[in-house]
């Protein structure tokens, strides 16, 4: 759920959960909001859980690893040496397969009928997940005799 519509949906869900359902929620919008100090402060008060989805937050994961707060991590780059991987209880890590996403996207478009041009729109910043999606998208189309065009957006 990206953009203003997605933001309104997420905000509505969180408002519903916090109003009358005894949930005390803090919605951290920007990666800069997640600091080691924030985790230290909140680890000492009664916190029911952490949902964290942000790239490159290894320093934050070190602090989360020191707590016993139930935690769900998703779409996070985690190094093999991360302290969070040593935590045995109260942790779930959800991964996605970027190459599989590119493959499935190409198959979906192909299932809708052949067209002349297939376009992969990627962020201008070269993120590994996007590069993997783009490569698999292009390779899958090539297997069926089509070419993918790539277009970058953003800053």
């Amino acid at each position: 759920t990206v953009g203003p519509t997605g933001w309104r949906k997420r905000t509505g869900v969180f408002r519903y959960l916090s109003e009358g359902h005894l949930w005390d929620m803090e919605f951290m919008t920007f990666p800069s909001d997640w600091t080691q100090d924030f985790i230290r402060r909140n680890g000492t008060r009664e916190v029911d859980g952490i949902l964290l989805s942000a790239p490159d937050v290894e320093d934050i994961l070190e602090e989360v690893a020191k707590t016993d707060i139930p935690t769900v991590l998703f779409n996070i780059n985690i190094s093999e040496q991360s302290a969070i991987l040593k935590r045995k209880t109260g942790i779930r890590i959800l991964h996605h397969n970027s190459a599989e996403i590119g493959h499935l996207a190409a198959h979906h478009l192909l299932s809708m009928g052949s067209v002349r041009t297939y376009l992969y729109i990627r962020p201008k910043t070269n993120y590994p997940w996007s590069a993997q999606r783009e490569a698999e998208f292009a390779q899958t189309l090539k297997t069926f005799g089509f070419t993918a065009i790539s277009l970058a957006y953003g800053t």
Side-chain angles (χ1 to χ4, degrees), residues 10-26:
R10 281 193 310 273
T11 302
V13 168
F14 291 127
R15 187 174 42 250
Y16 171 79
L17 291 173
S18 62
E19 291 174 359
H21 296 280
L22 303 178
W23 282 46
D24 179 19
M25 301 179 69
E26 287 193 46

Side-chain angles (χ1 to χ4, degrees), residues 87-100:
R87 210 170 122 181
K88 300 297 182 203
T89 60
I91 183 91
R92 291 292 178 260
I93 302 171
L94 307 176
H95 297 279
H96 65 274
N97 182 325
S98 292
E100 182 70 10

Side-chain angles (χ1 to χ4, degrees), residues 2 8 15 18 22 34 36 38 43 45-46 50 54-55 58 62 68 95 101-102 107 127 130 135 141-142 145 150 155:
V2 179
R8 282 192 299 276
R15 187 174 42 250
S18 62
L22 303 178
W34 281 94
Q36 290 176 310
F38 174 81
R45 62 175 233 215
E46 191 173 319
I50 296 173
E58 193 63 43
E62 287 181 35
D68 60 353
H95 297 279
I101 290 169
H107 271 283
Y127 295 109
S130 184
L141 290 172
K142 185 177 179 182
S150 179
T155 56

Side-chain angles (χ1 to χ4, degrees), residues 5-74:
T5 302
W7 176 257
R8 282 192 299 276
K9 287 179 184 175
R10 281 193 310 273
T11 302
V13 168
F14 291 127
R15 187 174 42 250
Y16 171 79
L17 291 173
S18 62
E19 291 174 359
H21 296 280
L22 303 178
W23 282 46
D24 179 19
M25 301 179 69
E26 287 193 46
F27 188 57
M28 309 303 281
T29 307
F30 303 101
S32 59
D33 293 338
W34 281 94
T35 63
Q36 290 176 310
D37 185 54
F38 174 81
I39 298 298
R40 282 187 213 109
R41 268 193 337 266
N42 287 288
T44 59
R45 62 175 233 215
E46 191 173 319
V47 174
D48 294 317
I50 296 173
L51 303 175
L52 178 59
S53 175
D56 305 320
V57 290
E58 193 63 43
D59 55 336
I60 305 306
L61 295 179
E62 287 181 35
E63 290 302 318
V64 172
K66 295 174 187 175
T67 74
D68 60 353
I69 301 169
T71 304
V72 177
L73 307 173
F74 50 101

Side-chain angles (χ1 to χ4, degrees), residues 109-110 112-119 137 141 144-149:
L109 293 174
L110 289 167
M112 298 175 75
S114 297
V115 297
R116 291 186 337 196
T117 305
Y118 292 90
L119 177 65
F137 181 77
L141 290 172
F144 290 92
F146 296 98
T147 302
I149 298 171

